[in-house]
Amino acid sequence: MGKKICGTNYPLSICFIVVNEFCERFSYYGMKALLTLYFVTYLHWDKDLSTAIYHAFGGLCYFTPILGALIADSWLGKFKTIIYLSIVYVIGHVVKSVGAIPTVGGRHVHIALSMLGLILIAFGTGGIKPCVAAFGGDQFEDEHVRERQKFFSIFYMSINAGSLLSTIITPILRGDVQCFGGDCYALAFGVPAALMVVALVVFIAGSGMYKKNPLQGNILLEVCNCVGFALRNRWYRSKHEPRRSHWLDWAEEKYSKRLIQEIKMVLRVLVLYIPLPMFWALFDQQGSRWTLQATRMNMAFGDAFSIKPDQMQMLNALLILVFVPIFDLIIYPLVGLCRIKITPLRKMATGMIFAALAFGAATLVEISVVKTVVDPAPAKNSLLQVVNLAGGDASVKVLGTDLFPEPIPYFHDSPTYETFPLEGPAKYAYITVTSLGADTECNQRFEEEEAYSLILFPGPAGTQCKLVEDYIMKNEDGNPLVRFLNTLPEDLNITVGTVLFNVSSEYSVSPNQTVSQGVYSDVTCCLKSGECYRLDLGLLDFGAIYTIILNEESGKIVAHKTEDVKANNVHIAWQIPQYALITAGEVMFSITGLEFSYSQAPANMKSVLQAGWLLTVAFGNVIVLIVAEGAGLEQWKEFLLFASLLLGVCIIFSIMTCFYTYVNPEQLEKFYLENSGKEGDNNENMKKKNNDVPLNKTGKGTRL
């Protein structure tokens, strides 16, 4: 008899298991929250490839639980499986963290270490996924059913707590802590790695208290063997053999009728799983496409604080804790009072509709977000803006055409980038500038698909031209990009926050650099001679790209700020409706789906249904991977495509449910009792091996 907690029927060993699960979930969700921005900003992958790899990793994490279950039930047992795969998990985290250190090798080394780390993490987290909850259930005696149910409530709460805290904390470590001259991904990945080490140590610390059941074989493996045997028998049957009522009946020569009947019940449910991956295809984009959308939104909540784009994922974990009791205690009873029959399958279909509406909301947000984005120049074209420092208003003609029909005021830039046709990959163009009553011509070379600023400034022989390349892509982490244009005859050093700009003299332009969003009213600007001045740059806002012109006026250096690319003008709070809708969909779809599945099949087949459920998540991620890499759509069109696909799948699912007949669990049990004498108790061990893990009532728990 193991030790109990304060004289109760709760084994002391469950404390170690709950702490282990909290740390492991913190580790997993904290690391995963950073992945998309890590791929884009650190590995410099494009958004489509980053999304594809993110979902490839997510899919692998939900394929590997089947392997973990086979190892635990048929070879090592749950305890050793958790220990060994947790070690693999820790190694994966360490490798991933080392890959995020800029000084360790080059880009190819970082990619190799990152991918190796993610593969190890996928095998670790997936492998222990089916083991930890069931191992916790093993600690209770059979008669302590109520205590076991309460344990699972605490267990699933620890999952949500780990998820919620990690998605708040790790983005802060990434963005607010600077190391190696940029975002500190090494630390942000290192903390989840440390939490996984703690999880492993805590789990091992309780090893002397655990109740370890002997191996009893794997029901999933036996189901697969039975199905395979039936298919082979049916395929190679003699033409003279009589037909059988169901293809599974061809396994009767080797397997009991009871097992065959149970598999038939499971297959009826698994057929309903076929449309379900599309829901997960939408749901799991919170960490990829929705995070990328957040980087192009205004993340400031007044002067109080700013949220990180990868922190928005915490809304799902937070809202699930709010929505579950609201739906159970308020919404479902109110709908019942309206004499609307609420069946589990209707709830699931409604959950799909809510997820589709969430992507409809994301589409509307995306359409507004892209209005501040400057589209790159198409092939055989370039983009051009003019910065007028010539001493007066200036009119500009390119190859004799009025590319800029209105005069450009002094110390201003043109309102927008104009598209300049090149009729080839490159072209020299004569530019005529009229300023202060005089015309000046200059000849500049343009290349296709590039953006340029034409800087006009006074010279000995009149207005002079200087063409500089521009960077027009918004920063991938949402922060502003800044460059300085120095009109002084002396080099300058400017410090903006922690970022140092070195700008040469005579109308030279510094490279774009990332600075944190905020108000910069006291920026240090020093001449090469050592004399320093204070500059007021004002607000440098999310998503903007600034050219700051430094000019000497009245013996002081003055900053004139121009916006090459407009700041993000859609607030990130507009993402809240889509998160609320997708979370409401999760409550109705995911939690209800597991409850329905478990109520419609024998108790000893729950692990088979759990495997099927996890595979729907895995295939959902595969769908996103294919669309992200293959569709090539604008983002708002892609969101609309996913919403439309899910609505179509919802219709198919609803039609399928019309042909489904619910099974009464009491009748199932009666069937077992009636057949136990005829078939014997040869399957009794299978009833015990799965431990009847109770249904969880929290969103993260639905996928563990």
Side-chain angles (χ1 to χ4, degrees):
M1 201 67 151
K3 295 181 180 179
K4 305 293 184 181
I5 301 175
C6 302
T8 66
N9 291 323
Y10 292 96
L12 185 60
S13 57
I14 65 170
C15 297
F16 297 91
I17 295 172
V18 169
V19 173
N20 165 271
E21 185 66 12
F22 169 81
C23 294
E24 189 274 328
R25 291 290 84 184
F26 186 108
S27 167
Y28 175 75
Y29 284 109
M31 177 277 304
K32 193 179 180 187
L34 308 171
L35 275 185
T36 300
L37 291 186
Y38 174 75
F39 293 151
V40 172
T41 63
Y42 185 82
L43 298 183
H44 303 295
W45 288 343
D46 63 52
K47 294 178 180 180
D48 289 339
L49 178 60
S50 300
T51 299
I53 299 298
Y54 176 91
H55 288 282
F57 168 72
L60 186 59
C61 288
Y62 285 94
F63 278 119
T64 50
I66 296 175
L67 179 63
L70 291 174
I71 293 172
D73 291 341
S74 306
W75 182 24
L76 294 177
K78 297 185 185 75
F79 175 74
K80 288 184 179 179
T81 300
I82 294 171
I83 294 282
Y84 294 156
L85 290 182
S86 291
I87 293 172
V88 173
Y89 202 163
V90 169
I91 294 172
H93 268 301
V94 172
V95 172
K96 184 78 189 66
S97 302
V98 171
I101 300 175
T103 56
V104 178
R107 181 169 179 265
H108 294 296
V109 173
H110 297 154
I111 292 173
L113 290 175
S114 297
M115 294 304 99
L116 176 60
L118 288 177
I119 291 171
L120 293 174
I121 289 170
F123 276 94
T125 187
I128 68 175
K129 196 183 295 291
C131 300
V132 179
F135 187 68
D138 287 344
Q139 307 309 304
F140 292 85
E141 303 298 330
D142 291 341
E143 63 269 19
H144 298 150
V145 176
R146 185 178 178 186
E147 287 82 359
R148 182 187 293 165
Q149 290 175 340
K150 288 185 177 179
F151 158 73
F152 280 109
S153 295
I154 297 170
F155 182 85
Y156 293 122
M157 287 295 290
S158 72
I159 292 173
N160 280 274
S163 168
L164 178 61
L165 290 176
S166 64
T167 49
I168 294 173
I169 293 172
T170 54
I172 293 175
L173 297 176
R174 170 194 63 78
D176 291 351
V177 179
Q178 297 291 302
C179 61
F180 305 105
D183 283 353
C184 201
Y185 282 104
L187 175 64
F189 286 132
V191 169
L195 263 291
M196 192 58 219
V197 172
V198 172
L200 177 58
V201 170
V202 168
F203 187 76
I204 294 174
S207 58
M209 306 178 192
Y210 296 136
K211 175 185 174 185
K212 303 165 189 173
N213 292 335
L215 296 179
Q216 296 171 327
N218 187 274
I219 185 64
L220 178 60
L221 194 59
E222 184 149 1
V223 168
C224 293
N225 289 336
C226 180
V227 170
F229 184 80
L231 290 173
R232 284 194 303 272
N233 255 12
R234 187 179 186 277
W235 183 262
Y236 294 112
R237 73 183 187 273
S238 170
K239 294 181 180 179
H240 303 292
E241 289 189 61
R243 298 177 65 87
R244 305 190 184 184
S245 60
H246 193 281
W247 62 269
L248 269 173
D249 293 335
W250 289 95
E252 288 179 350
E253 286 84 349
K254 185 175 180 180
Y255 295 92
S256 68
K257 289 184 179 180
R258 175 172 178 173
L259 177 63
I260 293 171
Q261 184 63 28
E262 288 172 342
I263 295 174
K264 289 178 183 178
M265 296 175 183
V266 168
L267 288 179
R268 292 176 68 245
V269 178
L270 291 180
V271 167
L272 289 176
Y273 281 6
I274 294 173
L276 304 190
M278 186 53 67
F279 174 87
W280 298 115
L282 276 68
F283 181 85
D284 277 345
Q285 290 187 59
Q286 294 174 71
S288 56
R289 295 302 204 194
W290 285 14
T291 296
L292 292 172
Q293 184 186 68
T295 64
R296 290 174 286 122
M297 302 179 76
N298 192 314
M299 295 170 270
F301 286 82
D303 296 330
F305 69 96
S306 297
I307 196 170
K308 304 287 187 293
D310 37 1
Q311 279 182 317
M312 286 298 288
Q313 300 169 61
M314 63 88 182
L315 278 177
N316 177 248
L318 180 64
L319 289 173
I320 202 76
L321 296 174
V322 176
F323 282 1
V324 168
I326 290 177
F327 273 80
D328 284 345
L329 301 177
I330 300 174
I331 294 178
Y332 291 151
L334 285 177
V335 174
L337 289 175
C338 298
R339 296 183 180 180
I340 298 174
K341 188 176 181 181
I342 310 174
T343 64
L345 294 177
R346 286 180 180 176
K347 287 182 187 178
M348 293 176 67
T350 306
M352 290 182 180
I353 293 172
F354 269 79
L357 290 174
F359 267 65
T363 301
L364 296 176
V365 170
E366 185 68 20
I367 290 171
S368 298
V369 162
V370 297
K371 290 179 180 178
T372 63
V373 175
V374 177
D375 293 325
K380 298 183 180 181
N381 287 268
S382 64
L383 298 180
L384 180 64
Q385 71 165 355
V386 177
V387 179
N388 179 17
L389 309 177
D393 293 354
S395 297
V396 178
K397 291 186 178 182
V398 182
L399 292 176
T401 63
D402 289 325
L403 195 63
F404 302 94
E406 299 295 328
I408 299 162
Y410 177 53
F411 257 104
H412 285 74
D413 58 356
S414 51
T416 60
Y417 281 93
E418 300 295 338
T419 302
F420 174 45
L422 304 181
E423 301 173 353
K427 185 175 186 177
Y428 280 93
Y430 281 99
I431 301 169
T432 304
V433 180
T434 303
S435 180
L436 301 176
D439 290 345
T440 304
E441 282 194 351
C442 54
N443 190 18
Q444 301 291 342
R445 186 177 190 272
F446 296 86
E447 294 186 2
E448 65 176 343
E449 300 179 2
E450 295 289 346
Y452 297 94
S453 285
L454 181 68
I455 301 171
L456 309 178
F457 59 94
T463 302
Q464 291 185 273
C465 305
K466 184 174 185 178
L467 194 68
V468 297
E469 287 190 16
D470 289 356
Y471 185 80
I472 59 170
M473 303 301 293
K474 286 178 177 281
N475 206 338
E476 302 296 357
D477 65 1
N479 280 311
L481 287 167
V482 175
R483 65 178 179 176
F484 287 89
L485 194 166
N486 180 14
T487 68
L488 279 70
E490 192 172 347
D491 294 354
L492 295 173
N493 294 321
I494 305 110
T495 303
V496 182
T498 59
V499 183
L500 177 64
F501 293 82
N502 298 309
V503 197
S504 300
S505 60
E506 301 293 347
Y507 298 93
S508 295
V509 180
S510 69
N512 287 100
Q513 294 194 70
T514 301
V515 300
S516 297
Q517 184 269 358
V519 176
Y520 293 87
S521 56
D522 191 18
V523 172
T524 302
C525 174
C526 295
L527 297 169
K528 191 175 182 180
S529 60
E531 188 177 0
C532 293
Y533 298 87
R534 297 293 179 184
L535 303 177
D536 183 3
L537 305 185
L539 174 65
L540 302 181
D541 211 354
F542 286 112
I545 302 179
Y546 297 100
T547 296
I548 300 175
I549 305 164
L550 301 178
N551 191 47
E552 185 175 358
E553 299 175 10
S554 303
K556 295 181 180 180
I557 298 177
V558 179
H560 297 267
K561 183 173 63 179
T562 63
E563 263 188 340
D564 299 334
V565 176
K566 301 298 182 184
N568 301 338
N569 58 9
V570 179
H571 198 271
I572 200 168
W574 284 106
Q575 277 198 327
I576 294 176
Q578 64 200 56
Y579 273 97
L581 287 167
I582 200 81
T583 306
E586 181 187 9
V587 172
M588 288 183 281
F589 176 89
S590 186
I591 298 176
T592 306
L594 277 178
E595 290 175 348
F596 161 77
S597 303
Y598 282 23
S599 69
Q600 298 297 292
N604 63 311
M605 291 287 171
K606 288 184 179 180
S607 63
V608 180
L609 288 173
Q610 181 72 1
W613 187 262
L614 293 175
L615 284 177
T616 66
V617 183
F619 283 113
N621 280 274
V622 172
I623 292 172
V624 184
L625 189 159
I626 293 170
V627 173
E629 279 295 285
L633 298 173
E634 292 180 55
Q635 191 55 68
W636 71 268
K637 292 179 181 177
E638 186 182 289
F639 284 157
L640 193 58
L641 172 65
F642 275 111
S644 303
L645 287 174
L646 185 56
L647 286 176
V649 165
C650 180
I651 293 171
I652 295 171
F653 178 75
S654 300
I655 294 172
M656 292 172 66
T657 62
C658 294
F659 298 95
Y660 184 83
T661 304
Y662 286 89
V663 176
N664 189 326
E666 294 179 1
Q667 292 177 347
L668 277 178
E669 188 60 31
K670 183 180 179 182
F671 172 84
Y672 297 149
L673 292 174
E674 289 174 353
N675 285 271
S676 60
K678 301 174 185 177
E679 294 291 333
D681 262 344
N682 52 351
N683 284 336
E684 191 61 30
N685 284 336
M686 291 180 191
K687 278 189 176 182
K688 296 178 181 178
K689 74 177 73 168
N690 291 289
N691 221 341
D692 279 358
V693 177
L695 297 175
N696 45 300
K697 290 290 184 180
T698 57
K700 294 294 174 186
T702 61
R703 299 189 300 150
L704 295 183

